[in-house]
Amino acid sequence: MLNDIEIAEKAKLRKISDIAKDRLGISEDEIEAYGRYKAKVSLSCLDKLKNKKDGKLILVTAISPTPAGEGKTTTTVGLGDALNLIGKKTMICLREPSLGPVFGMKGGATGGGYAQIIPMEDINLHFTGDFAAIAAAHNLLAAMLDNHIYHGNELGIDIKTIQWRRTVDMNDRAIRKITLGVNEKKEGFPREGGFDIVAASEIMAIFCLSNSIEDLKKRIGQIVVAYNNKNQPILAKDLKAVGAMTALLKDALAPNLVQTLENNPAFVHGGPFANIAHGCNSVLATKTALKLADYVVTEAGFGADLGAEKFIDIKCRKSGIQPSATVIVATVRAIKYHGGAELSNLTHEDISALDKGLVNLERHVENMTKVFNLPCVVAINKFTSDTPAEIELILQRMKKLNVKTILSSHWSDGGKGAVDLAKTVIELCENSNQKMQYVYEENDTLIEKINKIAKKIYRANEVTMDDNVKAQIENLQKTGYGHFPICVAKTQSSFSIDPKLRGAPSNHSIAIREIRLSAGAEFVVIICGSIMTMPGLPKVPSAEKINYVNGKIIGLS
C-alpha cells in the first residue's frame, strides 16, 4: 500500500471555493483563499449563521494511548467521510498539527491511509500561518513585559515572580532554560527564562476557547504575567499589550477550511496541548460547523480520561455545546498492550493479554456512559493481524456493558470502511435525549473539583499535595479564581500518574506537584508528575526523512 503522503498526492482535490459554495452554501466573498485548496471562513460569515439551528455533535475519543497507536484522528476523518457517503451533511473539526511533532517523533496530524485531510503537506507545515501569529502575539507580550522593566518598572513587578516565558513552534530542548537580560553594555536585569512550544502557550488555549474577537481581547487582558512587590497580579492589560496582540491574531481567529480525500469539508483550526491545556480544536470552528452541517465529527486529545473530560468540563461548559454521541476508538493491539503484552508480540493472537487489557476500554466506556451520561459506541480500528477469537472476546465484553462494538476499516477503505460505524452513530444521535453531566459543578471549590476528577474518572482513593501547593490553591480560591474549571496535566498512558501502570489501576494516589493559573484561558492547571512544555527531538527525528525533491515534499507521515 502507498504511504500517507503518496496517497495524499494522488488525491483529486476540488477548489476550496467550490467546496465552500456547493457543500456549505458559503459564497466566494465570505472566504479568504490561501491558494486553491485552503481558505479561512470570514468572521462576518459566522455572524450571519448565529440564528441557524445547530446540527448534532459527535465526539471521538479513545482508550489510554499506547505505543501501538489507536487511530483516533483517522477514525474521525473516516467517520466523517462515511456519514457524507450515506447522505448526511457532515463536517469534520480537527486541531492543527504542530511543527514540533511533525519534525520530531509523532509525525503529522491529518489522519492516515485513505482517511486523511488534505492538502496534508500544507496543513502539517505552515498552513495558513495561525501558529506563527500565536507565537508572535505571545512573544510580543514577553517583549513588552521586559521592556516595561527596563524602562523603570512603573508597575513594581517583582522579577522573581515573572511566569510568562517565550515560545517557538519547534522541539528544542536547548532553550527550555535560558538567561535573559544579558547584553553588550551590561545593562538590564539578568534573569532565568525559557521557551515553551507554541501548542503549550496560553495564547493558544485562549485562541481556541474564544467565541469572538471581543472575547479574545477580554481573555488576553486577563493573562497574569507576573506579580508586583505586594503580591498583586500584573495582567497583560496593565502592560497595554492587548490591542497589538489582538491585531496579530485577528486573521488567524477565522476557521481554516480544507477537505478530505473524498472532498468532504473540514475545519482544521487551533492546536492546544492535550496535557497542559484542553487539547481541542477551536470553539469558533466547532460552533460554526454546527451551523453549517447536520452532523459534526470532532475529537479530543489523548484518551477519554484526559481528552474527553477536558472537552466536556472545559470546552462544553464554556461554549454551551454538547455531544449527542461519543465514539471510543481502540485497536486489538493496543488493548493487548494494556494487558501486559510486549510491543514485539502485539500482532500475535494473545487472548490472555486481551482479556486483561479490556479493563482499560471498559473503564473508559463506564466513564462515558455513567459519569458523563453520554451514549457511546466502541470503534475497533481494524488490522489484518486481528483474529476472530480476539474480536469475539471484545464483542462479548462490550455487550455486557450494553455498548455496541463496530469494526471499522477506514484506514484501508476510506469512508466505505466506516459505514457501519456511521449508521450506529446516527442511531445514537437520533435516539439520544440524555442530558450530559459534568464531573463537577462550577461552584464546587477547586479542591472539590480536583478530588471529583481523581476519584470519579481515575478511580484514585486520594489526592496528595505539599503545603506550598495547598496554599497556592487556597489563594486562588480566595482571589476569585475558584469558579474556573480544572485542567489536569498528567501522563496520558495511564489512569494513574505512573505511565507504567497499564490497564485500569484503582485505589492509587494522585500527587499534585505544581499549580499554574491560566487566567486568560480561564482554567487552573494542576500538574501531576513531570510535564514537558518544550519537548526535545528523538535521536533519529522525522526531520531526517523529510525532503523536497523534484517539486514534491517527501517523507511526511
Side-chain angles (χ1 to χ4, degrees), residues 31 58 76 81 83 199 228 244 254 260 296 301 344 359 404 504 546 548:
I31 64 170
I58 300 152
T76 302
D81 280 339
L83 286 162
N228 65 15
T260 70
V296 174
S344 57
V359 293
K404 285 189 177 181
I546 297 170
Y548 185 67

Side-chain angles (χ1 to χ4, degrees), residues 426-491:
I426 290 169
E427 186 182 335
L428 288 179
C429 286
E430 299 310 316
N431 295 327
S432 169
N433 54 7
Q434 297 165 230
K435 186 177 180 182
M436 180 182 70
Q437 297 173 172
Y438 299 115
V439 175
Y440 50 82
E441 298 304 318
E442 188 172 330
N443 58 4
D444 287 342
T445 65
L446 293 173
I447 288 288
E448 287 171 338
K449 291 171 185 175
I450 293 166
N451 273 285
K452 285 183 178 180
I453 295 171
K455 293 175 181 179
K456 287 185 180 182
I457 301 298
Y458 309 147
R459 307 297 201 277
N461 63 358
E462 65 172 354
V463 175
T464 64
M465 64 195 81
D466 63 26
D467 289 343
N468 182 52
V469 170
K470 189 173 182 181
Q472 282 182 281
I473 295 173
E474 289 172 351
N475 184 59
L476 289 175
Q477 188 73 42
K478 282 192 297 186
T479 52
Y481 297 110
H483 64 288
F484 279 7
I486 295 296
C487 183
V488 180
K490 73 170 190 67
T491 177

Side-chain angles (χ1 to χ4, degrees), residues 13-329:
L13 286 83
R14 293 187 63 194
K15 286 174 64 176
I16 201 64
S17 55
D18 292 341
I19 295 281
K21 182 181 177 183
D22 299 343
R23 304 298 302 280
L24 301 173
I26 299 173
S27 72
E28 199 164 348
D29 292 339
E30 294 174 317
I31 64 170
E32 185 69 35
Y34 283 68
R36 299 182 68 191
Y37 305 120
K38 53 189 187 290
K40 283 188 169 288
V41 177
S42 70
L43 295 179
S44 60
C45 175
L46 312 191
D47 289 336
K48 294 178 185 177
L49 296 168
K50 61 186 177 185
N51 294 323
K52 284 193 69 176
K53 184 181 176 183
D54 283 352
K56 303 280 189 180
L57 182 62
I58 300 152
L59 172 64
V60 179
T61 183
I63 63 172
S64 302
T66 70
E70 293 71 53
K72 179 157 47 69
T73 301
T74 306
T75 302
T76 302
V77 178
L79 175 56
D81 280 339
L83 286 162
N84 277 298
L85 188 63
I86 61 175
K88 303 298 181 182
K89 188 178 181 182
T90 303
M91 280 199 76
I92 296 163
C93 288
L94 294 177
R95 289 179 293 170
E96 297 180 52
S98 165
L99 289 180
V102 168
F103 292 129
M105 189 181 339
K106 187 179 176 186
T110 56
Y114 287 91
Q116 290 190 57
I117 304 283
I118 49 177
M120 72 93 84
E121 63 273 30
D122 289 5
I123 297 168
N124 280 316
L125 298 178
H126 297 295
F127 201 18
T128 58
D130 293 347
F131 276 47
I134 290 164
H138 181 115
N139 291 330
L140 173 62
L141 180 57
M144 291 183 73
L145 169 62
D146 283 319
N147 187 60
H148 178 88
I149 295 168
Y150 179 84
H151 286 290
N153 195 7
E154 184 181 336
L155 293 170
I157 295 167
D158 181 350
I159 295 172
K160 297 189 298 295
T161 69
I162 292 173
Q163 55 195 46
W164 194 253
R165 289 157 59 87
R166 282 159 169 81
T167 191
V168 64
D169 192 28
M170 199 63 62
N171 288 2
D172 190 353
R173 65 174 60 82
I175 56 174
R176 284 175 190 158
K177 288 187 177 181
I178 60 173
T179 301
L180 298 165
V182 179
N183 60 40
E184 295 173 351
K185 297 180 181 179
K186 298 183 180 179
E187 298 171 336
F189 302 89
R191 62 181 177 86
E192 192 176 88
F195 279 77
D196 296 327
I197 196 165
V198 172
S201 165
E202 187 181 348
I203 301 296
M204 177 67 82
I206 289 169
F207 179 90
C208 288
L209 287 169
S210 297
N211 285 288
S212 63
I213 285 284
E214 291 72 26
D215 190 27
L216 178 73
K217 272 188 173 180
K218 182 200 79 166
R219 289 171 176 272
I220 290 173
Q222 293 172 177
I223 294 170
V224 176
V225 295
Y227 291 83
N228 65 15
N229 298 316
K230 298 179 180 177
N231 203 32
Q232 296 167 325
I234 303 298
L235 310 181
K237 63 184 178 183
D238 297 329
L239 294 167
K240 301 176 182 175
V242 176
M245 292 170 71
T246 306
L248 286 169
L249 295 168
K250 69 174 181 64
D251 292 333
L253 194 62
N256 303 307
L257 178 64
V258 285
Q259 61 191 289
T260 70
L261 289 174
E262 299 181 15
N263 307 123
N264 295 312
F267 280 142
V268 178
H269 195 224
F273 252 22
N275 223 323
I276 204 76
H278 59 296
C280 313
N281 71 277
S282 76
V283 165
L284 268 174
T286 305
K287 293 180 86 167
T288 304
L290 286 168
K291 300 296 184 185
L292 291 168
D294 297 325
Y295 293 90
V296 174
V297 187
T298 192
E299 68 172 15
F302 292 148
D305 59 322
L306 283 176
E309 187 274 316
K310 293 175 186 178
F311 183 92
I312 292 165
D313 280 316
I314 298 176
K315 181 172 179 175
C316 291
R317 189 191 299 269
K318 291 291 183 181
S319 64
I321 60 176
Q322 172 180 329
S324 296
T326 60
V327 179
I328 299 179
V329 180

